[in-house]
Amino acid sequence: MAESAANWFVDQFRCPVCLDGLKEPVTIPCGHSYCMSCITDCWGQKEQGPPYCCPQCRESFSQRPLLKKNTLIAEMMETLQKTSLQTTAVECDVCTTEKSRAVKSCLQCLASFCQTHLQPHYQSPAFMKHKLVEASRNIQENICLSHGKLLEIYCQDDHQSICCLCTDDHKGHSLVSLDSNWTRKKEELNETKVSCQKLIQERERGQRELSESLKLLTSSALETMEDFEKVFAELICSLEKKRSEIKEQIRAQEKTEIDRAEELHRHLDQELTELRKRQAEIEKLLITEDQVNFLKSCQSVCPLPSFENVPMTQHTLFKDISSSMFKEVLEDVFQQQTARISREVSNVYVTNPPEPKTKNDFLQYIWDINLDLNTAHNSLKLSDDKRKILSSDTAQQYPDQPERFNERPYILSRDGLYGRFYWEVECSGDEWAVGACYSGIRRKGSTDDCALGFNKMSWRLGYYLKIFSYIHAQNKVSIPVSSRVGVYLDHKAGSLSFYRVSDTMTLLHRVQTTFTEPLYPAFKVGNRSSVRIIELKKEQVSTLFCSANESLYERVRIPLYSTKLEIETNGSDVTYSQVQ
C-alpha cells in the first residue's frame, strides 16, 4: 500500500518532456514544471525561437524566461526518492540478525544478497558464472514453473520465455537466447522512443503553427472589418456630399425659374394696364353721339399696340425626376458586390476541409451558375428562367461580341471560380458536354484551341457519337454513361471531379493538376440536345475557412472589394457610374 502511494506521488512529479522524475526542477511563468535540461533543450531547438512556448499549455513568452531551480519541488523529489528506496528495498536472504538491504539477486541461487554476502559471487570460481541482476522481490518469475529451471530461452513463435527443458514442446519454433532477444527488443524500443519523440516534436510544431495561423486569421478578420468600415464611411461621406450638391442644384434651378417667371409676370402686368386703358377709351367713344369727334378720336384708338405672343404654360416639375432610379442603382451595385465578397469570405479556412463524400457534403459548396449570354453561340437559346440551354434550329439574333463563340456551340458562366464549388446538370440528346475552362480560351474559329477539352486551357466530360468520355488536351478516357452529372471544383487543391448523381455520389473521373487561373463553368449543347442546370438547396451551412489563395499555416487575407459611385449631374439628368 505504501509502495503504490509512493509511486502515485512520484507520477505527479514527472517531467512532461522526458517522462521521468523531475531532475533539477524549474517552473516557468505559466506554472508548469520541467527538468532544467529538458526545457533548455526544447527551447534550444532550431525551429524554436521567439516567442518561446510552454510545451504543455502552449502559452508563449516574447522573451526567454529566466530558469531557476524550484527548491520546494527539488526537496519533495528527494524525499519521495528516499521513501521509494525504503519502501521497495529488498532484504538480504543470508543475513540472520539485522537484515541488510540487498544489492543484487542471483538467478541461479534464487536469492538476494547484500554487499557483504555478495562477495563470494565475485571471488569464488564456483559462483562467477551465476547471473546477477538488480535486487528484486520477483526473482521467482525468472524460474520455469514446470521444471524449476531458469528461463533463459525465448520462443519467438509463441512469444514466451522458456527453460532448456521446455524446448521439446517448442520443436520447429524459432528459439533465441533470452539475452539476445532482450537486447534486440531494447534496441527496437529505443528506435520506437526516437520515432515517438519525433512525432511529438512534429505535433508540437503543428500546434504552434496552428495557433499562429489562428492569430493571423483573427487579426486578418479584424483588419478586413476595419477596411470595410473605412470604405463604408467614405461611401457615406461621398453620398452625403452628392446629396448636398443635388439639393443645391435643385434650389438653384428653382430660383432661376422663379426669377424668370416673376419677370414675365411684371411684363404681363404692364401690357394688361395698357390694354385696359385702351378698352376704357373705346367704350367711351362707343357711347358718344358726336359723329365728328367720334371719327376724329377713332383713328387714335383703333390700332392696338403690338405685343409678343403670351407663351403657353409648359412645365416640368421636380417630382417628375425619378429618385427611385438612384435607389435601384445603389441596390443593384451593393447586391452584386455583397455576393462577390460573400463568395470570397466563404472560401476562407484555416485547416484543410475533408473531401466531400455524401450528397449533403457536396451541398455545402453549391454554386448557382449565372450563364453569360454574351458568350453563347447563336445556335443556343436559354429558357425563361435562364437555367436550361437548348439547341435551336433557328439562329438567334445575338449582337456580335468579342467573347462570343462564333463556330462552337458553347456558352460559359459569367463568373470565374477560385475556391471550392459544386454544381449539377441534367443532360439529354446525342451531343452535349459539361466542363470548365480558363477565360483565355479562343472564341473565334473551329480549331482545337477553341474546342472545349482539346487544349490545355479546358477540361470536359461529354457525350458524342454514342461515346461518353472525359477529354483534356486531346487525351480521351471513356467512362460509363450518366445523364445527371455533378461537378466539384477544389481550385486550391487542383482538383476537378465529375460524379454520377443518384442516391449516392459515384466518381466518374477526377482531374488532379495545378490551376493557375479562375475556372469558368462551360457547356456544349449540340443538335437536338439540351443541358439544364439543377437548382439545388443547401441542407447544411458550411463554416470552412482556409484562404483559396494560400497554403496551410500561411497568413489568411480576405480580398477587399470596395464599392464606390461617381455621380454626375447635367440639368435634370443624373448619371451613376460604378468604380471598382
Side-chain angles (χ1 to χ4, degrees), residues 304-323:
L304 292 176
S306 60
F307 296 114
E308 295 180 1
N309 293 330
V310 178
M312 298 295 293
T313 305
Q314 296 179 351
H315 55 261
T316 301
L317 301 180
F318 287 109
K319 70 177 182 179
D320 295 330
I321 299 175
S322 177
S323 59

Side-chain angles (χ1 to χ4, degrees), residues 186-459:
K186 197 170 182 180
E187 291 175 353
E188 290 178 359
L189 277 178
N190 280 326
E191 291 176 358
T192 304
K193 179 184 176 182
V194 171
S195 300
C196 185
Q197 288 175 339
K198 288 182 179 178
L199 290 173
I200 289 172
Q201 290 173 359
E202 289 176 1
R203 269 55 182 176
E204 288 175 345
R205 184 169 60 251
Q207 283 186 330
R208 291 194 297 269
E209 292 173 349
L210 185 59
S211 298
E212 185 63 25
S213 293
L214 288 174
K215 290 180 181 178
L216 291 174
L217 179 70
T218 302
S219 63
S220 173
L222 180 61
E223 182 181 348
T224 303
M225 286 189 289
E226 290 174 351
D227 288 345
F228 272 103
E229 287 290 338
K230 182 179 178 181
V231 168
F232 276 99
E234 291 175 354
L235 181 59
I236 291 171
C237 182
S238 176
L239 290 175
E240 288 284 352
K241 181 179 178 181
K242 294 301 179 183
R243 183 183 68 173
S244 299
E245 290 177 359
I246 292 174
K247 287 171 64 176
E248 287 299 321
Q249 184 181 5
I250 292 173
R251 291 193 184 100
Q253 185 67 16
E254 177 189 22
K255 184 177 183 304
T256 299
E257 291 304 311
I258 289 175
D259 291 345
R260 192 162 65 89
E262 288 178 349
E263 178 64 27
L264 180 59
H265 200 280
R266 287 192 297 272
H267 185 68
L268 291 176
D269 279 345
Q270 293 174 1
E271 292 183 347
L272 281 172
T273 301
E274 181 67 24
L275 289 172
R276 288 187 178 116
K277 179 180 177 182
R278 186 62 60 90
Q279 184 182 21
E281 292 176 354
I282 291 173
E283 289 177 351
K284 183 177 179 181
L285 283 175
L286 287 175
I287 61 175
T288 184
E289 295 296 333
D290 185 347
Q291 296 178 349
V292 174
N293 186 46
F294 174 85
L295 293 173
K296 181 180 179 182
S297 300
C298 187
Q299 293 178 359
S300 61
V301 298
C302 280
L304 292 176
S306 60
F307 296 114
E308 295 180 1
N309 293 330
V310 178
M312 298 295 293
T313 305
Q314 296 179 351
H315 55 261
T316 301
L317 301 180
F318 287 109
K319 70 177 182 179
D320 295 330
I321 299 175
S322 177
S323 59
S324 62
M325 176 179 62
F326 183 80
K327 179 182 178 183
E328 290 172 1
V329 171
L330 283 181
E331 287 181 345
D332 183 57
V333 170
F334 278 120
Q335 185 175 2
Q336 291 180 19
Q337 294 303 314
T338 301
R340 187 178 183 182
I341 293 169
S342 178
R343 293 197 302 270
E344 296 293 339
V345 170
S346 65
N347 279 316
V348 176
Y349 55 96
V350 171
T351 58
N352 201 22
E355 187 76 16
K357 296 180 180 179
T358 67
K359 184 65 176 287
N360 279 352
D361 292 341
F362 286 98
L363 292 181
Q364 296 182 54
Y365 306 102
I366 290 172
W367 175 245
D368 193 11
I369 292 176
N370 294 312
L371 295 170
D372 186 358
L373 199 57
N374 287 335
T375 66
H377 185 263
N378 59 15
S379 67
L380 304 181
K381 65 178 181 179
L382 301 183
S383 60
D384 292 340
D385 60 1
K386 302 293 190 293
R387 305 194 71 85
K388 188 172 184 179
I389 313 162
L390 304 104
S391 174
S392 173
D393 295 332
T394 305
Q396 305 299 302
Q397 298 302 310
Y398 296 139
D400 188 25
Q401 299 282 358
E403 60 267 32
R404 189 178 306 286
F405 291 94
N406 67 343
E407 294 289 342
R408 301 282 183 175
Y410 299 158
I411 185 171
L412 303 184
S413 166
R414 190 165 56 195
D415 305 299
L417 307 183
Y418 207 65
R420 286 186 166 214
F421 299 97
Y422 175 75
W423 62 96
E424 204 171 287
V425 294
E426 183 76 42
C427 308
S428 64
D430 298 327
E431 187 180 351
W432 53 266
V434 297
C437 66
Y438 293 148
S439 62
I441 189 171
R442 282 193 62 185
R443 316 295 175 91
K444 309 301 182 185
S446 57
T447 55
D448 285 346
D449 53 358
C450 303
L452 193 63
F454 284 81
N455 49 67
K456 293 184 178 181
M457 302 187 72
S458 60
W459 299 259

Side-chain angles (χ1 to χ4, degrees), residues 526-542:
N527 227 6
R528 294 184 297 278
S529 301
S530 67
V531 172
R532 181 168 189 82
I533 301 168
I534 305 301
E535 185 174 7
L536 301 170
K537 295 181 179 179
K538 283 190 179 181
E539 296 181 16
Q540 297 179 354
V541 178
S542 171

Side-chain angles (χ1 to χ4, degrees), residues 398-564:
Y398 296 139
D400 188 25
Q401 299 282 358
E403 60 267 32
R404 189 178 306 286
F405 291 94
N406 67 343
E407 294 289 342
R408 301 282 183 175
Y410 299 158
I411 185 171
L412 303 184
S413 166
R414 190 165 56 195
D415 305 299
L417 307 183
Y418 207 65
R420 286 186 166 214
F421 299 97
Y422 175 75
W423 62 96
E424 204 171 287
V425 294
E426 183 76 42
C427 308
S428 64
D430 298 327
E431 187 180 351
W432 53 266
V434 297
C437 66
Y438 293 148
S439 62
I441 189 171
R442 282 193 62 185
R443 316 295 175 91
K444 309 301 182 185
S446 57
T447 55
D448 285 346
D449 53 358
C450 303
L452 193 63
F454 284 81
N455 49 67
K456 293 184 178 181
M457 302 187 72
S458 60
W459 299 259
R460 91 179 209 187
L461 191 80
Y463 188 65
Y464 181 61
L465 297 178
K466 300 188 181 301
I467 298 176
F468 192 52
S469 60
Y470 162 79
I471 306 175
H472 171 63
Q474 299 189 12
N475 296 317
K476 183 182 294 187
V477 179
S478 296
I479 53 180
V481 177
S482 176
S483 61
R484 185 150 179 159
V485 178
V487 185
Y488 172 67
L489 169 67
D490 187 342
H491 194 284
K492 177 178 176 292
S495 175
L496 179 65
S497 306
F498 300 90
Y499 289 85
R500 176 192 288 118
V501 181
S502 57
D503 294 337
T504 58
M505 303 292 291
T506 305
L507 181 64
L508 296 172
H509 191 81
R510 173 174 290 147
V511 180
Q512 200 64 51
T513 183
T514 300
F515 298 121
T516 57
E517 303 175 28
L519 286 183
Y520 289 77
F523 306 91
K524 172 189 176 182
V525 181
N527 227 6
R528 294 184 297 278
S529 301
S530 67
V531 172
R532 181 168 189 82
I533 301 168
I534 305 301
E535 185 174 7
L536 301 170
K537 295 181 179 179
K538 283 190 179 181
E539 296 181 16
Q540 297 179 354
V541 178
S542 171
T543 54
L544 302 178
F545 308 117
C546 158
S547 169
N549 302 330
E550 301 187 1
S551 60
L552 182 61
Y553 305 135
E554 289 182 347
R555 175 165 182 165
V556 179
R557 181 77 169 100
I558 303 172
L560 174 60
Y561 296 95
S562 61
T563 302
K564 296 184 180 180

